[in-house]
Amino acid sequence: MEKGKGVMVGGRRWAVDFTDNSTSPSRDIPDPPGFSRSSQDQDDSTLSRQKKDAESNWKSQKAWEVAQAPFKNLLMMGFMMWMAGSTVHLFSIGITFSALWQPISALQGVGKVFEPYKDSRVDLLGPKLLFIALNLGGLALGVWKLNTLGLLPTHASDWVFSLPPAQEVEHSGGGIPLC
Amino acid sequence: MGNGMIRFFLVLLLFLSSAEYIFSLYEDQVGLMDWHQRYVGKVKHAVFHTQKTGRKRVAVSTEENVVALLDLRHGEIIWRHVLGANDAVDAVDIALGKYVITLSSEGSILRAWSLPDGQMVWGSFLQGSNLSKSLLSLPVNLKANKGNVILVFSKGCLHAVSSIDGEVLWEKDLSAESIEVQQIIRPLGSDMIYAVGFVGSSQFDAYQINAKNGELVKHKSADFPDGFYGDLLLVSSDILVSLDATRTSLVTIDFQKGEIIFKKTHVSDIVDESFGTAVLLPSELSGMFAVRFNTLLVFIKVTIEGKLEVVDKITNAAAVSDALSFSEGQQAFALVEHVDRKILLTMKLVHDWNSDLLKESIAMDLQRGMVQKVFINTYIRTDRSQGFRALIVMEDHSLLLLQQGEIVWSREEGLASVIDVTTSELPVEKKGILVVKVEQSLFEWLKGHVLKLKGTLMLAGPEDIAAIQGMRLKSSEKSKMTRDHNGFWKLLIVLTKAGKLYALHTGDGRVVWSLLLPSLRESGSCKRPTGLSVYQWQVPHHHAMDENPSVLVVGRCRPNWDAPVALSFVDTYTGKELKSMGLIHSCAQVIPLPFTDSTEQRLHLLIDAEKHAHLYPRTSEAIGILQHEFSNIYWYSVEADNGIIRGHVLTSNCIGMVDEYCFTSRELWSIVFPSESEKIIATATRKLNEVVHTQAKAIADQDVMYKYISKNLLFVATSAPKASGEFGMAQPEESCLVVYLIDTVTGRILHRMTHHGSQGPVHAVLSENWVVYHYFNLRAHRYEMSVMEIYDQSWVDNKDVWKLVVGKHNLTSPISLYSRPAVVTKSQSYFFTHSVKAIAVTSTAKGITSKQLLIGTIGDQVLALDKRYLDPRRSLDPTQAEKEEGIIPLTDSLPIIPQSYVTHALNVEGLRGIVTLPAKLESTTLVFAYGVDIFFTRIAPSRTYDSLTEDFSYALLLLTIVALIAAIFVTWIMSERKELQEKWT
C-alpha cells in the first residue's frame, strides 16, 4: 500500500506492466503449429471438471452453512433477550434494537453474503430462502420483544392517548351569587 | 407509536433526572424566579415614635388586622404581626416609650408588644358582657404601683391595666347602667376620670370615677329632649360637642360644672347658608372642631364662654389630623386640600388661625385618589427650627410620608387586599428596540459576561460572586415589557378592595400601571362601591392581533346583592379605562361563555336578581352568536342559605322591556338538601380556562380508562348544620359531611358520598376528572384529604385497535349531557397534618404535565403536593406493572416534604388565595399567592423537561465545544506533520 501510494503521489518510481490482458478477445494472432485449442480444452476439462465439481460442492455446502448461520445468532439473541427481561431499560432497549437491526442489515446484504458462492452450477435459491427465513425469524423475535416491552402501538391505549377530549354541546355556568 | 414513544421518553427522562420529583431550590436561586412583597394594609391609626436618638419609627394598625412598626426613613417594615381574621385592632398606642399597646377583638384583648423587636410582652383578656365601643387611653402621669396605668373601656366595663405586666388593677362595670360610653376623659393632672356617654338616644350621662381605685365618685345625668346623633367629640377638657338627632344643630355639653349644661346652636345660625346635613369630623383639635357639610369643611371654635364661632370654611379639604402639641404648649394640626393635581398640606396653629406654620403643595398621582387620613409628627430641623412630617393614607389605601414638600416614600398598601386576579399577555416585541439597548450597555454586558465566565471557571472571589448574584437577580430580561419566548412574563391584573386595578409584571413584581376605577369610587349615586371580580374580556390573537387586550371589572354600588352593577373595561397595555357602564341592573352572577366575537371579545352573561340574563358585549354580532347556541346555554345558582341548587335555561327575550340584550330563563331542575341535616358549606368547579390534553388514561397492562371530563361539573359539600360552625360544637355521631358531584346542565347527581364523623371547613379543588377536598375528621381528631376521581364508562367499548387506527370512533365527536353517560367513581382518603387556608392546582399550557396541588397552609406558606399522592388507585402493595406506572404504595397520611414548600423560607402573611397561570412552556406553571403579602413564583411540577435549567452552564458547554474543535485541529495538524515525516524517511 505504501508503495502504491508512493507511485501515485510521488510519481518517482515507475513500472511497466508486461502482462497484456487484452489478447484473449482479439484472436488475430494465429495459434502456433501443432496447437489445438479444442484438444487442450478437452484434455483440461476432465481434470478441471473434477476440480469444479468439488468446488461447486464445496460452494453449495458453504452456502448452506452461511444460510444457517443466523440460526445460531437467533438462539444467541433469544438467550440475550431472555436475560434482558421485560422491563424497559437501556440494556433491553439496546438488545432489542440490535435484534431488529441485525436481521434488517443482513437482509439488505443477502446478495453480498452469497456472492463468493455464486456459481452457475450451484443453486443458491435454497440457502438464500433459508437465510431470509431465518433472518425474518430474527426480525420477528425482535418485534415480539419490542411488543413485550410495550413499545409497539398494539393496544387501544396507544391510539387514544393523544385524542383531545370530546366537546360538550351544552354549556352551563354560575355558582354562589357574588357577594 | 403513541404510548410506546411516550413511555420511552419517560424512561429517558427518568434516566436524566432522579426518580423523586421534588420541587426544591438552592440558596442562590432564591429570588431568581420568585418575588415577595410585604404589606400591612390600609392604615387605620398611626402613632409616631421619634425620640431624639435612635431610629424614627411609626407604629400602625390596619384594616387587615395588622400591627406593624415601620421605619420612617424608608418606610420598610421593622416588624409586623397579622392578627386573626376576627381579631380586628380597635386602637393602638405607645406606652412607656417601649411598648406598642393594641386593643383588639372588640376590646377584649389588650396586648403589649416590645417596640424594638415586636415580641409580645404581655397580653390580657378583658372580661365583659356587653358589646360597646372600645376605647383605649394612655393618660400621662397617671401612675400606679407598677408603671403607668392604661385605661380601657370595652364591653361595658372600664378597666385600669398596668402597663408593666398587663395586670388589671381595677375594673368598674358600667354595663348595668345601660350607658353607651363615648369618651373616657381625664383632665390633665387630676385623679378623676370621666366616662361620658348616652343612655338611649336623648339622655346624657357622666360618671366621675377615681382613677386610683375605680370607685364611683359622682354620677350626673341630664335629658336632652331633641336627641343625639352620632359621636361625642371632646373639644376641651370640659366641653363636649355632638349633633342633635336632626343633624341640623350642634350641641355643646358642659359636664364638669355642678350640673350638665346643654347649649344648642342651629347650624344656620353660625354658618350663613344651609348645606344639608352635618357630620362631625373625629379629629381632636383642642378648643376647636370641624364639621363637614357635603364638600364644605367648617372649623368652629368654642370660646371660653361656650359660644361657637366659625373660624374658617374650606371647600376642597380632604382630611384633618389630630392636634399635636409641640414646643411651649403650642398645638398644631394638619389640613390637607386637593388643588388641581396637587395636594396642599397646611399646618395650622390651633390658637392662631391666621398664621400657617407650613404650607406645602405636593404633586400627587391622580390614581391615588383623595387623601383619607393624615397623621402628623414634628422634628427639629438642622437649623433648629420646627419641622413637620405627615403620614397620609390615600383613597387607594397607599401610605405616603410627606416631608419638606416631597414624598419621602410611599407604600402600595392597596395590594394587601387583593379581591381578584386575572392575567394579560405583554405586547409582542417589535424589532429594533433591543439593538439600541444592547449598544448602550455593551460595556456593561461585556463586563457581566466576563464576571460570569470567572464564576464558571471558579476564579471569582466573594465580591465577584456577590456581584454575579446581584446581576442574576436584577437581570434586565426579567423586567422586559415584551412577550418572551417561554411565556414567563405576563401582566397580573389585580383588583383590590379600594377599587384600584394594578398591573404587576411577573418578572419583578413592579407595578406597571395602576388605575383607580372611576366606576368604583364613591359618588352621589354610588355610596359604598365594592369591586367584585375581574374577567378577561378580550384576548387578541390570530386575526385581532393589533387590538390591545382588555379586562372587564365588575363592581357594585352597595354591598347587598341587588344593588346596581358597575362595569368597566380596561385596556391592559395602557391601563386606561376604555368605557364604563353603570347602574343598569343588579348582578348576581357573571358567566363567561365559551364564545368570542370577531374582535375576540368574550361573550358574558350577567344574571340579575330577577333571574334575567343580560348579554355583553352589546352588539348585534354577539346576539347572533348567542342565538346560534341559545338552547344550549344553562346556568345554575347555589342558594347556600336555603340549601337549594337550581338549574335554569335561557328561554326568550325579556317581556315588557325594549332591551334585546335581556333574556328570561326558566327553571329546569332543583336539588333541595334537607335543611335539618345538610347545609351547603363549599362548592368547587373547574377553572374555565383549564386545558385537558386527553381523556384517556392508560393504566397498567395497557388498559384504558376514560376520564369523565366535563366543564359542567359541580362539587358540593354539605355538613350537618350543627357542625358547620366551630370545632367542638358537634359530637362525631351527629356530624356528617356529604359530598356531591352534580352535572349542572341536567341536574343529575353523578355521585354522592358520606364521611361520617367529619366536618368542615371544606376546601376543595376540581380539575380534569378529579376533586380533592380537605376537611376535619372528628373521630380521628385529624385533618383529612380525600380524592375522588370520576371515569366515563360509556366509552370503554372502544377497544378495537384497528378502528382507532383508521379513526372510526366517536371519541372526539361532541356529546350531549342528556345522553346520561355512565360514570364510575373511585375515591380514597388520607390524613393530612396541616389545616388549610386555600387550595389550588397547577395548570399548564397543554395539560400534559402532571399536576401538583398547591396548599396554602395555616402557617401562610404554599406547599406543593404531587397529585400522585392523591390517587385512588394507590394500594398497600402495588403490582410490578402499577409500580412501573408510578403508583406509590398506600400510606395513611400524606407526606410533607420540607423542600416542596413553594414559598421556601418566606411567609405570605394572611394568605387568602392561590392563582395558577400556565406559561407558554408546557412544563411550567406560574403561581401567584395573595393575602396581606403577595408572592409570585414559577414551578415545574415534573421538572423543566422541555428546557435547560437556570443553573445549566452554557459557558462550560461553549468551552467544551471550543476545546473539542481546538483538539481536532491540533491532532489534524500533528497527523499531517507525522505523515510528511514518514514520507521523507
Side-chain angles (χ1 to χ4, degrees):
Chain A
M1 189 215 159
E2 280 281 313
K3 278 181 184 173
K5 213 174 178 186
V7 171
M8 280 194 330
V9 177
R12 262 179 246 110
R13 300 185 185 180
W14 56 270
V16 178
D17 196 355
F18 288 105
T19 52
D20 190 357
N21 302 334
S22 64
T23 48
S24 46
S26 60
R27 285 182 168 265
D28 48 343
I29 306 164
D31 286 339
F35 174 80
S36 159
R37 188 168 290 268
S38 59
S39 69
Q40 205 193 352
D41 275 359
Q42 269 178 356
D43 194 38
D44 243 5
S45 67
T46 45
L47 208 137
S48 69
R49 189 175 298 150
Q50 281 179 353
K51 210 169 146 189
K52 274 186 181 166
D53 273 353
E55 200 183 288
S56 64
N57 269 346
W58 177 81
K59 273 187 179 175
S60 76
Q61 206 181 333
K62 269 283 168 201
W64 279 109
E65 259 173 46
V66 166
Q68 282 165 7
F71 184 67
K72 270 186 257 168
N73 221 338
L74 207 69
L75 288 180
M76 179 70 176
M77 221 30 145
F79 178 68
M80 293 271 273
M81 280 175 183
W82 178 71
M83 290 290 281
S86 64
T87 47
V88 182
H89 51 82
L90 205 59
F91 187 57
S92 65
I93 289 174
I95 284 184
T96 313
F97 276 94
S98 80
L100 286 170
W101 180 244
Q102 268 185 7
I104 290 170
S105 63
L107 286 174
Q108 274 178 338
V110 172
K112 224 169 235 175
V113 170
F114 289 96
E115 189 94 33
Y117 319 114
K118 210 172 175 183
D119 203 317
S120 53
R121 269 178 285 175
V122 179
D123 183 21
L124 281 177
L125 189 69
K128 269 188 183 173
L129 280 179
L130 182 67
F131 184 81
I132 289 169
L134 282 174
N135 272 314
L136 282 177
L139 195 66
L141 195 68
V143 170
W144 172 79
K145 183 70 193 171
L146 209 59
N147 192 26
T148 54
L149 288 178
L151 298 179
L152 275 192
T154 52
H155 294 269
S157 59
D158 303 319
W159 294 96
V160 294
F161 198 82
S162 55
L163 289 181
Q167 287 289 316
E168 283 175 314
V169 177
E170 294 92 354
H171 177 80
S172 168
I176 296 176
L178 300 166
C179 49
Chain B
M1 294 286 275
N3 193 7
M5 275 326 266
I6 284 166
R7 262 201 193 194
F8 175 66
F9 282 118
L10 273 179
V11 166
L12 275 184
L13 264 177
L14 275 175
F15 271 110
L16 294 175
S17 60
S18 60
E20 198 69 24
Y21 294 130
I22 294 175
F23 173 85
S24 54
L25 287 174
Y26 290 103
E27 196 183 353
D28 64 340
Q29 288 176 317
V30 167
L32 281 185
M33 19 190 210
D34 59 314
W35 47 262
H36 179 231
Q37 294 174 5
R38 285 148 52 92
Y39 292 107
V40 294
K42 185 187 184 185
V43 170
K44 278 202 284 199
H45 198 74
V47 186
F48 288 90
H49 180 77
T50 47
Q51 288 159 329
K52 290 211 175 75
T53 53
R55 289 164 88 182
K56 310 273 185 274
R57 293 166 287 197
V58 58
V60 294
S61 71
T62 72
E63 311 241 335
E64 303 296 321
N65 303 351
V66 176
V67 187
L69 191 71
L70 306 179
D71 188 349
L72 270 183
R73 190 176 292 273
H74 301 294
E76 73 260 35
I77 297 166
I78 297 169
W79 55 260
R80 170 181 65 159
H81 292 287
V82 181
L83 306 182
N86 41 17
D87 196 8
V89 186
D90 301 307
V92 63
D93 213 335
I94 291 176
L96 302 175
K98 58 179 181 179
Y99 296 148
V100 175
I101 309 286
T102 61
L103 182 66
S104 60
S105 272
E106 289 160 342
S108 57
I109 303 172
L110 188 70
R111 293 187 183 96
W113 315 88
S114 165
L115 188 87
D117 55 7
Q119 288 195 25
M120 192 165 103
V121 184
W122 51 259
S124 325
F125 188 76
L126 303 176
Q127 303 285 339
S129 48
N130 289 20
L131 274 182
S132 74
K133 208 170 169 178
S134 308
L135 302 165
L136 172 74
S137 90
L138 271 70
V140 272
N141 299 326
L142 183 60
K143 290 262 192 315
N145 309 343
K146 289 192 235 166
N148 280 12
V149 173
I150 300 168
L151 291 175
V152 178
F153 181 81
S154 69
K155 304 216 159 187
C157 240
L158 183 66
H159 308 263
V161 182
S162 160
S163 60
I164 295 291
D165 55 4
E167 192 192 330
V168 177
L169 300 172
W170 52 260
E171 58 183 11
K172 174 77 193 150
D173 196 352
L174 297 171
S175 57
E177 329 288 342
S178 71
I179 178 177
E180 273 178 63
V181 173
Q182 297 281 348
Q183 290 275 356
I184 299 291
I185 302 151
R186 180 178 166 262
L188 212 64
S190 93
D191 276 346
M192 289 298 148
I193 306 164
Y194 294 92
V196 295
F198 304 127
V199 177
S201 61
S202 61
Q203 189 185 329
F204 176 83
D205 275 40
Y207 290 87
Q208 193 178 0
I209 294 161
N210 189 335
K212 295 280 180 209
N213 49 23
E215 275 171 24
L216 182 65
V217 179
K218 215 189 273 174
H219 173 213
K220 283 186 278 190
S221 176
D223 254 339
F224 182 68
D226 291 351
F228 296 104
Y229 174 86
D231 293 345
L232 269 175
L233 197 65
L234 184 72
V235 175
S236 62
S237 60
D238 52 356
I239 291 182
L240 292 159
V241 174
S242 185
L243 288 169
D244 76 341
T246 57
R247 295 170 74 183
T248 52
S249 298
L250 294 162
V251 185
T252 53
I253 307 160
D254 189 345
F255 65 95
Q256 282 201 357
K257 304 227 171 69
E259 55 187 82
I260 297 162
I261 305 158
F262 297 109
K263 195 174 275 177
K264 192 173 152 185
T265 317
H266 205 267
V267 171
S268 56
D269 293 344
I270 49 168
V271 187
D272 305 331
E273 313 96 289
S274 181
F275 306 99
T277 51
V279 179
L280 276 182
L281 281 199
S283 300
E284 286 178 10
L285 316 168
S286 60
M288 202 158 40
F289 62 93
V291 188
R292 187 187 283 282
F293 302 91
N294 288 332
T295 58
L296 191 78
L297 194 69
V298 180
F299 287 91
I300 299 168
K301 197 172 183 172
V302 183
T303 58
I304 303 157
E305 303 88 58
K307 278 179 76 178
L308 299 182
E309 258 175 41
V310 172
V311 180
D312 205 353
K313 288 182 234 171
I314 291 159
T315 43
N316 297 313
V320 181
S321 76
D322 284 349
L324 173 82
S325 50
F326 58 105
S327 58
E328 298 138 28
Q330 281 186 305
Q331 289 196 314
F333 69 94
L335 171 71
V336 184
E337 293 165 80
H338 284 273
V339 181
D340 297 331
R341 288 163 171 261
K342 289 183 171 179
I343 62 165
L344 194 65
L345 175 73
T346 319
M347 297 292 304
K348 284 194 183 290
L349 276 173
V350 170
H351 302 288
D352 185 8
W353 184 264
N354 294 325
S355 68
D356 294 337
L357 280 174
L358 189 77
K359 203 168 183 120
E360 287 166 350
S361 88
I362 299 141
M364 187 61 69
D365 185 2
L366 273 181
Q367 301 306 334
R368 292 197 190 278
M370 309 280 279
V371 177
Q372 292 200 330
K373 277 190 179 126
V374 54
F375 304 98
I376 50 167
N377 180 233
T378 65
Y379 65 96
I380 307 293
R381 291 210 190 102
T382 40
D383 60 356
R384 301 213 153 265
S385 63
Q386 199 75 33
F388 291 93
R389 53 169 84 92
L391 196 64
I392 57 170
V393 181
M394 306 294 292
E395 194 179 346
D396 69 341
H397 297 186
S398 59
L399 185 70
L400 297 97
L401 184 77
L402 308 180
Q403 196 170 330
Q404 292 178 338
E406 272 175 55
I407 299 170
V408 182
W409 50 259
S410 63
R411 294 180 60 87
E412 290 289 351
E413 293 300 343
L415 288 170
S417 52
V418 174
I419 293 174
D420 200 6
V421 184
T422 188
T423 176
S424 163
E425 293 288 342
L426 283 162
V428 183
E429 186 169 351
K430 292 191 179 63
K431 297 275 176 279
I433 302 167
L434 203 70
V435 183
V436 184
K437 234 177 158 181
V438 168
E439 273 172 6
Q440 270 177 355
S441 55
L442 191 67
F443 179 66
E444 288 288 309
W445 181 82
L446 212 67
K447 213 168 87 181
H449 277 259
V450 168
L451 262 178
K452 266 188 194 166
L453 196 69
K454 263 169 115 180
T456 36
L457 299 177
M458 306 196 179
L459 295 170
E463 292 149 46
D464 291 341
I465 288 172
I468 293 167
Q469 182 68 7
M471 243 162 39
R472 285 170 76 190
L473 292 180
K474 280 199 231 54
S475 148
S476 63
E477 280 289 299
K478 279 168 71 170
S479 54
K480 247 167 73 172
M481 271 307 294
T482 49
R483 226 172 271 190
D484 67 324
H485 184 67
N486 292 330
F488 291 162
W489 314 147
K490 287 173 196 282
L491 287 177
L492 290 169
I493 310 294
V494 169
L495 177 68
T496 65
K497 218 182 257 175
K500 194 172 185 181
L501 208 60
Y502 291 89
L504 304 177
H505 194 286
T506 58
D508 51 5
R510 71 174 193 280
V511 176
V512 177
W513 53 259
S514 61
L515 174 72
L516 194 62
L517 287 165
S519 59
L520 294 182
R521 291 181 73 172
E522 268 185 43
S523 63
S525 52
C526 227
K527 286 284 180 239
R528 280 170 63 205
T530 48
L532 291 174
S533 47
V534 49
Y535 299 89
Q536 287 186 340
W537 177 253
Q538 195 178 14
V539 186
H541 55 285
H542 306 315
H543 49 273
M545 207 65 196
D546 48 336
E547 303 241 0
N548 287 1
S550 53
V551 291
L552 164 69
V553 184
V554 181
R556 191 183 278 161
C557 270
R558 290 186 302 276
N560 26 345
W561 65 291
D562 52 352
V565 72
L567 304 177
S568 288
F569 302 89
V570 181
D571 186 325
T572 62
Y573 286 176
T574 60
K576 298 271 178 298
E577 191 175 44
L578 299 172
K579 75 182 161 181
S580 69
M581 293 182 221
L583 316 170
I584 322 153
H585 50 79
S586 62
C587 176
Q589 312 263 0
V590 182
I591 303 170
L593 297 175
F595 319 112
T596 53
D597 68 6
S598 59
T599 55
E600 301 279 341
Q601 289 185 350
R602 187 162 292 278
L603 270 60
H604 284 70
L605 278 184
L606 269 66
I607 312 289
D608 67 11
E610 281 86 48
K611 303 200 169 166
H612 292 313
H614 300 267
L615 176 70
Y616 290 89
R618 293 179 160 251
T619 57
S620 51
E621 187 194 356
I623 286 201
I625 297 167
L626 186 75
Q627 291 290 0
H628 192 251
E629 293 283 342
F630 198 69
S631 57
N632 289 327
I633 293 171
Y634 300 79
W635 65 275
Y636 66 95
S637 57
V638 181
E639 292 165 25
D641 300 332
N642 308 335
I644 303 175
I645 301 177
R646 294 179 204 276
H648 309 262
V649 66
L650 294 189
T651 48
S652 61
N653 269 70
C654 289
I655 308 150
M657 268 194 258
V658 276
D659 186 2
E660 54 177 331
Y661 303 101
C662 170
F663 303 94
T664 54
S665 51
R666 178 167 57 87
E667 190 177 317
L668 269 188
W669 52 266
S670 62
I671 298 169
V672 183
F673 298 100
S675 60
E676 67 277 6
S677 62
E678 293 185 30
K679 183 177 185 297
I680 299 171
I681 51 169
T683 62
T685 52
R686 262 180 68 188
K687 270 208 297 191
L688 272 178
N689 54 358
E690 190 186 55
V691 182
V692 180
H693 178 242
T694 179
Q695 187 166 24
K697 179 178 177 180
I699 53 168
D701 46 311
Q702 308 274 300
D703 229 343
V704 196
M705 290 176 86
Y706 293 93
K707 299 172 186 171
Y708 179 82
I709 288 170
S710 168
K711 287 215 183 284
N712 305 319
L713 199 60
L714 173 72
F715 167 83
V716 179
T718 67
S719 148
K722 206 173 175 189
S724 57
E726 303 262 302
F727 293 135
M729 301 286 281
Q731 293 301 309
E733 299 79 46
E734 49 190 12
S735 67
C736 134
L737 187 79
V738 191
V739 295
Y740 296 84
L741 282 175
I742 296 168
D743 172 10
T744 56
V745 169
T746 60
R748 176 182 169 210
I749 295 174
L750 296 167
H751 189 65
R752 176 184 192 272
M753 192 162 61
T754 311
H755 296 275
H756 290 286
S758 297
Q759 74 165 78
V762 170
H763 294 274
V765 60
L766 204 157
S767 165
E768 293 195 0
N769 68 323
W770 51 263
V771 55
V772 168
Y773 51 100
H774 177 270
Y775 54 92
F776 189 71
N777 186 333
L778 283 167
R779 285 224 171 84
H781 298 284
R782 292 172 85 170
Y783 283 101
E784 275 189 2
M785 270 173 110
S786 282
V787 60
M788 194 150 71
E789 293 190 352
I790 178 161
Y791 291 95
D792 199 325
Q793 288 295 90
S794 55
W795 282 325
V796 174
D797 311 328
N798 279 306
K799 283 228 167 115
D800 192 342
V801 177
W802 288 112
K803 265 192 183 169
L804 291 167
V805 173
V806 295
K808 279 201 169 175
H809 56 81
N810 59 352
L811 288 175
T812 49
S813 50
I815 53 151
S816 166
L817 287 164
Y818 284 103
S819 63
R820 300 180 76 80
V823 294
V824 63
T825 52
K826 292 166 179 276
S827 70
Q828 212 166 58
S829 300
Y830 321 87
F831 290 125
F832 188 67
T833 318
H834 290 298
S835 70
V836 163
K837 282 187 164 179
I839 186 164
V841 66
T842 58
S843 56
T844 53
K846 302 248 182 329
I848 298 170
T849 309
S850 63
K851 303 252 174 193
Q852 269 184 341
L853 290 166
L854 297 173
I855 297 163
T857 63
I858 195 75
D860 293 324
Q861 293 209 302
V862 179
L863 177 74
L865 184 67
D866 243 329
K867 169 68 177 59
R868 290 191 305 160
Y869 288 109
L870 289 132
D871 185 343
R873 291 175 57 235
R874 278 175 77 181
S875 58
L876 280 175
D877 191 19
T879 62
Q880 186 59 38
E882 281 177 335
K883 268 186 201 160
E884 216 176 287
E885 197 194 321
I887 285 182
I888 304 162
L890 183 64
T891 46
D892 65 343
S893 59
L894 294 170
I896 290 170
I897 304 153
Q899 291 97 314
S900 59
Y901 279 104
V902 172
T903 44
H904 44 89
L906 303 169
N907 277 28
V908 188
E909 290 288 353
L911 183 70
R912 283 198 313 271
I914 303 166
V915 178
T916 59
L917 319 160
K920 218 159 148 194
L921 204 64
E922 169 56 29
S923 65
T924 312
T925 305
L926 309 178
V927 179
F928 179 65
Y930 60 88
V932 174
D933 291 352
I934 54 176
F935 175 80
F936 175 88
T937 190
R938 58 171 193 263
I939 58 169
S942 307
R943 299 205 160 202
T944 48
Y945 56 80
D946 48 3
S947 67
L948 294 171
T949 49
E950 152 72 29
D951 53 345
F952 181 82
S953 170
Y954 289 94
L956 205 64
L957 179 72
L958 209 73
L959 219 68
T960 317
I961 291 169
V962 168
L964 278 174
I965 290 171
I968 287 168
F969 268 96
V970 168
T971 48
W972 184 61
I973 290 166
M974 275 168 67
S975 83
E976 281 283 292
R977 201 172 283 172
K978 197 175 175 204
E979 207 166 85
L980 193 68
Q981 228 152 31
E982 261 177 35
K983 275 170 199 162
W984 277 109
T985 50

